[in-house]
Amino acid sequence: MEIEKIIGRRIEKGRRRKGLLQHELGAAVGRSESWVSQVERGVTALDSLSMAERIAGTLGLPVHHVLAFDVRYQTTPATAPARPSVPGPRTTHPLSSKQSSDAEDSGTMLRRSFTLGSLAGLTAAIAGLSPDARAQVSRPSGGIVDRATVRELRSIGASYRRSYKSFPASSLAPVAHGQVQLVISLRPKDQSAHLRNSLLAHMAEMAALASALLSLDLGDPGQADAYMDLGYQIAKEIDSQELAALILAGRAFRTTYSGDPVGGLDYALAAVDTAERGASVRMRAWTNAVASEMHACTGEHHGFRTCLEQARVLLSGEMDDDRWGGIGDFDLSKADAYEGSNLVRLGRHAEALRSLDKALGQLSPEMLRHRCTAYISRAEAHAGAQNIEAACDDGHAALTLVAQVQHRETLRRVAALHRSLRAHKTVGTRSLGEHLIDTRTLLKTSGSTV
């Protein structure tokens, strides 16, 4: 069944449940009645992720439901061989109607389905690095992929990467994995050089997205590392400085927050060097911001300032975002958030509050993950400045967003904040503790390891 018709029926049902007429829904999202009618009949496709978000918000529906993530990309059929495999689900999407009716909750299924496979055979098969690669992945029906299909796939991938800013991790991680499986089924090594590289670039971008979700949101560093390894091997295979820089910066976060800040700084500086050799302007800016954070984690104020100012200089110039392969977005408001968070790490709380106030005033409302981390950083700054109630207020704001995007790292930071504040025994600290327990309980039933 065409995906547009599935999406159209879901929008129509949501509209009727809300008691809205087609012209009323159209007015709410800035489109005509006839456009809504065509979308509901599956004649016209949704033209952007932002439009899907507006419709979902108006109808009170999850965006992943409106976009039919549960049926859009199924994983490899059960008839496919078990090896070689990729890290990720071997079941259908955990949010499908069939799976949601099972006795096992979606969180348990998600954690069970992300199992580590052998990357060596997979990389050989997709990249053509070994003479017997054809025997390592079953050949699906079909052969050559046309350029239009690959362009559409890359466009879909860009939407998924942008959606990191606001989508729940337990919904987006299986989709990223599904895209990896989809590229495998298209057999990149059988395509022309240009299409092969484009397919592999998409695969590496989706591997990076899955890695970020597994590491920061779903609490599975082992699987995150496996996806990083896959992405980096592909980046080297296709000689992509953009993707190599993205993966190295991800490694910087993983290494630093696993207890090795010096090693994390080494990875961050390698990401900066790699980006300088041919990555997009925004990637060069972001890797400098990552390096600024790693400098702050090692207590190096000069390095933090130098890298962050370089990021700002790059963001103030002309962009080439058709080449941006990063996750989410990175702009000057996010640079302000980096500055504030880094100043907290350096113990400069009054300066941090000014930067974080500015960042939260400028970060767009849909950047839920970015706002989530900015709120916990400002809460930590308030705590350092002994503004206990303000710290609790920002802790509440961070937890509200954690419940929406399932950002485990922020949950961990709020828990640490509460431990540092609970000795004050105020109404605010008690309330924050209750909110923390409620959020943990919620995430346990929604697919995020806590």
Side-chain angles (χ1 to χ4, degrees):
M1 186 177 294
E2 295 179 11
I3 196 69
E4 289 81 7
K5 291 182 179 178
I6 296 172
I7 291 172
R9 281 203 298 273
R10 291 184 176 186
I11 291 173
E12 181 183 11
K13 288 180 180 179
R15 175 179 61 78
R16 291 184 184 279
R17 280 196 297 268
K18 276 285 187 179
L20 296 175
L21 299 174
Q22 288 181 336
H23 75 86
E24 292 173 323
L25 175 59
V29 300
R31 293 299 173 90
S32 66
E33 179 180 356
S34 63
W35 182 85
V36 173
S37 174
Q38 290 173 12
V39 168
E40 290 185 348
R41 288 183 287 115
V43 176
T44 296
L46 293 179
D47 50 12
S48 69
L49 179 62
S50 61
M51 177 55 67
E53 290 172 337
R54 289 201 294 275
I55 290 174
T58 301
L59 301 180
L61 297 171
V63 180
H64 59 261
H65 175 76
V66 171
L67 290 173
F69 276 8
D70 50 337
V71 297
R72 187 183 289 270
Y73 293 109
Q74 299 284 330
T75 55
T76 304
T79 54
R83 288 288 188 264
S85 63
V86 293
R90 289 193 298 270
T91 61
T92 54
H93 192 292
L95 295 179
S96 68
S97 58
K98 178 181 183 300
Q99 294 285 32
S100 64
S101 65
D102 292 341
E104 194 172 29
D105 68 84
S106 63
T108 303
M109 281 193 293
L110 184 65
R111 289 190 290 276
R112 181 175 295 176
S113 64
F114 272 80
T115 55
L116 179 61
S118 169
L119 291 176
L122 170 66
T123 305
I126 62 173
L129 299 177
S130 67
D132 61 343
R134 289 177 181 274
Q136 298 189 48
V137 176
S138 63
R139 186 184 185 93
S141 60
I144 303 304
V145 180
D146 63 89
R147 290 178 179 270
T149 297
V150 176
R151 281 197 302 270
E152 183 177 1
L153 191 64
R154 296 301 302 277
S155 177
I156 290 170
S159 294
Y160 290 152
R161 287 186 286 114
R162 287 194 301 272
S163 72
Y164 175 77
K165 66 182 182 288
S166 57
F167 276 25
S170 60
S171 298
L172 194 53
V175 171
H177 166 76
Q179 290 290 298
V180 171
Q181 293 282 32
L182 180 60
V183 173
I184 295 171
S185 75
L186 297 176
R187 293 192 62 84
K189 72 184 297 287
D190 289 347
Q191 312 305 325
S192 66
H194 174 74
L195 295 184
R196 168 183 172 273
N197 285 359
S198 188
L199 285 169
L200 291 179
H202 175 66
M203 188 176 189
E205 290 165 355
M206 293 298 98
L209 175 58
S211 176
L213 290 161
L214 285 162
S215 176
L216 297 173
D217 300 270
L218 297 174
D220 195 339
Q223 295 302 319
D225 286 346
Y227 276 106
M228 281 190 200
D229 289 344
L230 174 63
Y232 193 64
Q233 289 180 57
I234 294 173
K236 291 173 69 68
E237 168 69 13
I238 65 176
D239 193 26
S240 171
Q241 307 306 317
E242 183 83 2
L243 293 172
L246 173 65
I247 299 297
L248 287 169
R251 281 286 187 202
F253 285 116
R254 277 280 296 114
T255 303
T256 290
Y257 297 114
S258 295
D260 181 11
V262 175
L265 178 59
D266 289 341
Y267 273 118
L269 294 177
V272 171
D273 290 343
T274 300
E276 288 295 331
R277 294 199 296 270
S280 67
V281 175
R282 200 172 298 276
M283 183 62 70
R284 289 163 56 199
W286 178 67
T287 54
N288 269 282
V290 173
S292 78
E293 181 169 328
M294 301 304 108
H295 276 298
C297 288
T298 59
E300 297 181 20
H301 183 270
H302 176 73
F304 142 60
R305 279 293 180 197
T306 300
C307 288
L308 193 61
E309 287 311 309
Q310 178 62 16
R312 284 195 171 106
V313 169
L314 289 164
L315 289 172
S316 299
E318 186 176 347
M319 293 291 111
D320 51 356
D321 282 345
D322 57 312
R323 301 177 55 224
W324 165 246
I327 298 167
D329 197 7
F330 181 68
D331 58 16
L332 286 169
S333 65
K334 194 67 178 70
D336 290 331
Y338 267 90
E339 179 180 50
S341 298
N342 293 341
L343 287 167
V344 173
R345 294 180 177 91
L346 293 167
R348 303 174 70 158
H349 301 115
E351 295 175 66
L353 286 170
R354 289 194 291 271
S355 295
L356 291 164
D357 286 346
K358 181 180 178 183
L360 283 163
Q362 294 180 343
L363 285 168
S364 60
E366 69 269 15
M367 295 177 74
L368 301 186
R369 272 186 175 79
H370 301 90
R371 297 184 68 82
C372 184
T373 56
Y375 272 122
I376 183 55
S377 293
R378 194 170 71 175
E380 293 166 344
H382 276 304
Q386 294 300 302
N387 304 326
I388 306 304
E389 295 308 311
C392 290
D393 288 344
D394 278 343
H396 281 296
L399 287 176
T400 298
L401 294 174
V402 166
Q404 296 181 58
V405 297
Q406 303 169 341
H407 197 264
R408 178 180 177 273
E409 176 60 19
T410 294
L411 184 70
R412 182 196 64 77
R413 290 171 65 185
V414 176
L417 173 75
H418 179 250
R419 285 193 296 272
S420 72
L421 297 178
R422 63 187 172 192
H424 293 276
K425 297 182 179 179
T426 67
V427 173
T429 58
R430 286 193 293 271
S431 176
L432 183 62
E434 293 169 358
H435 195 174
L436 183 62
I437 291 170
D438 290 344
T439 305
R440 280 176 166 155
T441 302
L442 175 65
L443 294 192
K444 283 180 180 178
T445 62
S446 62
S448 182
T449 304
V450 293

